[in-house]
Amino acid sequence: MLARVPYLLAVLGIAFAAPHSAPKIKERIHAPRDWINVGDAPSNHVVPLRIALPQSNFQELERHLYEISDPDNVRYGEHLSKEEVEELVAPHPDSVHAVNEWLAGHDISEGDCVRSPAKDWITVHVPVAKAEAMLDTKFHVWKHAKDEDSVVRTTSYSLPEHMHAHIELIQPTTLFSRLTGYRATSHFSGAQEHPAATSGTITVNGHEVDASCTTTITVSCLKQLYNAVDYVPAATQKNSIALTGYLDQFANFADLQQFYADQVPAAVNSTFNVTFINGGVNNQTLSAAGGEADLDVQFALGIAFPTPGTFYTTGGSPPFIPDTDEPFNDNEPYDAWLDYVLAQKTLPQTISTSYGENEQTVPESYAKRVCAGFAQLGARGVSLLVGSGDAGVGDGDPDPATQTCLTNDGRNATEFLPGFPASCPFVTAVGGTTNIPEVAVDFSGGGFSNYFARPSYQESAVTEFLTKQLPNGTYEGLYNPAGRAIPDVSAQADYFRIFLSGQVVSIGGTSAASPAFAGFVSLLNDARLSHGLPPLGFLNPLLYTRGLSGFHDITSGNAPGCGTPGFNATVGWDPVTGLGTPDFGKLKNIVL
């Protein structure tokens, strides 16, 4: 059993001294840009309030995570069990008791509550009228100016003062985020393939690469470029890889078969498992196939074949439509996905997600709580890869000419805007490259978090970049030099040849780079498992130390945004391509 860190009993004692304290603001935000208040929310509209109780021992979990992820620590690879993680994040019994009493005071019984396995989240479905009474607030219908999606939200909520020590946050209240696929739609070329290249080969980093790879990226191209041509997975009974799907992105089985016939003939007639979460579906009508979903499964599974694969399809992002009987709107699929995977006894060793949003559109308290969920995955031995974004240093708009890059805090100041969840220090953020030899692709998301401090594993690499590459106050005031730096690594991110709705298309984005990189991580996990070693788990402490020699440094290119050229790719780590692109052969030798 893991040791528990003593809880702040003194604080709790003070809290219980005032059981009937007056409401006090728990969270307040400025009305977010592009969201328009169109009126009061219907009193009978049902909202799924998710109540986060403080994770009393999260600092201890974080200590364990860094020890078992540090290749120079004697505990390296000693991942925690589901039960050990739950013990560390479980709320203090006093908080559980206090929240139960508060809920009972609003006529919410235990039967109305859905609790996470660690009891650190409680979900209750209540009508707007009751939510307003519980939170001393007023909910409104908000419509987005660009696409007219609507949500029921408030810009502030309150709790009795004595409850502040027992409730970390409640959502959806102030969460106006807009989860999107990190696909560079301006780089999606429909049925038109990139022009054919000349025949022959090119020598890159000591490896022969087909010249056709300069214009069209295939599984074979990536294996040649990243030195994995001869590797044959051997631990397929132990190893697995997974991709996440949101926003009605459906992965098509027929498209995968065409892709395999085209690029991985040995994989024809193999497929992937589908896990349905929170009402997620996977419509197999050919016209419903999603470019994001098809890209993810085709390249990640194509690279890792014959490693078993899973596609998580998560529902829970329908907009509220005021003139329908929509029972509730749940725009927090991260929560739904984390609830499911953290409840599982066994997990895929490698998971990739190609979805995200502007960090500033996610309330800081919520972003940190979701990030803590990702830390739990790392502690259990999962390598989680995420795309770094497709707008350079900009605001999510892939067209630099129309980016506003304005803060959402009422100042309307111009700043570089990092993406989330790439900004979470417990994930591996993947930027993008293009061409052969590789250069930074011009949409590769990068920068510095405003929510998360720079983690210790980045200190040396990022400090060197700031000192040598941004002298004399370059971009001063536009970014947070003390923040978690993005991305960590990179991979090819444009002109990927996929099959979509039965047609060959070319697609790009860090949504291509993340599943591609994840495919090679899965092969590294296979190598370790084949040698009786545990999976890699949280990658970053390894990558920034022993792993450095296993990357091709990308020193050319930049990713513009916010009316600037953005950051440059340069020698060493940089906020465009991170540490660079992988050399699987070298990394395999490093991790064995």
Side-chain angles (χ1 to χ4, degrees), residues 23-379:
K24 179 183 177 182
I25 291 288
K26 178 66 175 176
E27 188 164 34
R28 175 187 285 132
I29 66 167
H30 289 269
R33 191 173 56 256
D34 293 331
W35 286 99
I36 302 167
N37 184 338
V38 295
D40 294 348
S43 61
N44 62 346
H45 176 72
V46 177
V47 292
L49 292 183
R50 289 178 51 83
I51 303 163
L53 281 64
Q55 297 173 328
S56 58
N57 268 334
F58 182 77
Q59 288 184 333
E60 183 73 356
L61 173 74
E62 191 174 13
R63 180 182 70 81
H64 283 286
L65 174 63
Y66 279 117
E67 287 183 0
I68 63 181
S69 304
D70 178 358
D72 293 322
N73 192 291
V74 295
R75 295 187 61 203
Y76 182 60
E78 295 179 2
H79 303 118
L80 306 185
S81 69
K82 173 179 180 289
E83 293 74 20
E84 288 172 328
V85 168
E86 288 172 0
E87 179 185 349
L88 288 170
V89 301
H92 192 279
D94 289 346
S95 288
V96 176
H97 177 72
V99 174
N100 288 347
E101 285 200 335
W102 175 69
L103 290 173
H106 288 281
D107 298 320
I108 297 174
S109 67
E110 177 61 26
D112 298 321
C113 301
V114 178
R115 300 178 187 268
S116 64
K119 307 297 188 292
D120 55 334
W121 283 99
I122 301 174
T123 301
V124 295
H125 290 80
V126 298
V128 162
K130 175 164 284 195
E132 290 177 339
M134 294 170 65
L135 305 179
D136 191 36
T137 190
K138 183 68 178 175
F139 281 85
H140 295 91
V141 176
W142 296 78
K143 182 175 289 187
H144 198 269
K146 292 184 179 179
D147 56 20
E148 297 192 339
D149 277 355
S150 296
V151 296
V152 171
R153 295 292 188 267
T154 181
T155 55
S156 69
Y157 66 94
S158 299
L159 293 169
E161 187 169 3
H162 75 281
M163 292 302 300
H164 281 229
H166 304 295
I167 293 178
E168 192 169 292
L169 62 99
I170 299 179
Q171 293 293 354
T173 49
T174 58
L175 179 63
F176 286 81
S177 60
R178 291 168 57 76
L179 182 70
T180 59
Y182 272 157
R183 58 187 183 278
T185 53
S186 62
H187 296 268
F188 185 87
S189 58
Q192 299 299 315
E193 292 192 62
H194 201 54
T198 57
S199 59
T201 61
I202 304 171
T203 302
V204 182
N205 299 316
H207 310 296
E208 292 296 311
V209 179
D210 290 342
S212 62
C213 300
T214 61
T215 56
T216 301
I217 295 297
T218 64
V219 168
S220 178
C221 289
L222 293 173
K223 286 191 171 183
Q224 292 172 47
L225 187 60
Y226 298 145
N227 190 22
V229 172
D230 297 326
Y231 186 78
V232 179
T236 57
Q237 299 302 311
K238 301 176 183 178
N239 194 30
S240 64
I241 185 172
L243 298 310
T244 65
Y246 301 106
L247 308 175
D248 292 335
Q249 277 283 326
F250 308 134
N252 190 271
F253 296 119
D255 283 341
L256 179 65
Q257 292 307 311
Q258 287 191 279
F259 176 83
Y260 279 163
D262 181 63
Q263 297 190 32
V264 193
V268 170
N269 295 325
S270 69
T271 188
F272 55 92
N273 298 314
V274 180
T275 298
F276 303 92
I277 301 171
N278 196 39
V281 295
N282 195 37
N283 187 342
Q284 288 302 296
T285 304
L286 204 58
S287 61
E292 187 74 64
D294 274 4
L295 166 65
D296 288 349
V297 299
Q298 288 172 22
F299 269 87
L301 303 187
I303 292 169
F305 176 79
T307 303
T310 295
F311 178 66
Y312 292 117
T313 174
T314 304
S317 58
F320 167 69
I321 304 173
D323 60 357
T324 71
D325 294 324
E326 180 71 46
F328 60 87
N329 65 307
D330 182 357
N331 285 38
E332 304 172 57
Y334 290 133
D335 284 351
W337 181 74
L338 279 169
D339 281 352
Y340 176 84
V341 295
L342 290 174
Q344 305 310 301
K345 187 74 173 180
T346 59
L347 295 169
Q349 291 86 351
T350 310
I351 301 177
S352 172
T353 186
S354 298
Y355 300 79
E357 52 217 306
N358 291 343
E359 183 185 69
Q360 69 166 357
T361 68
V362 184
E364 185 172 354
S365 60
Y366 177 74
K368 289 185 174 180
R369 189 58 182 250
V370 169
C371 186
F374 297 150
Q376 294 178 55
L377 290 176

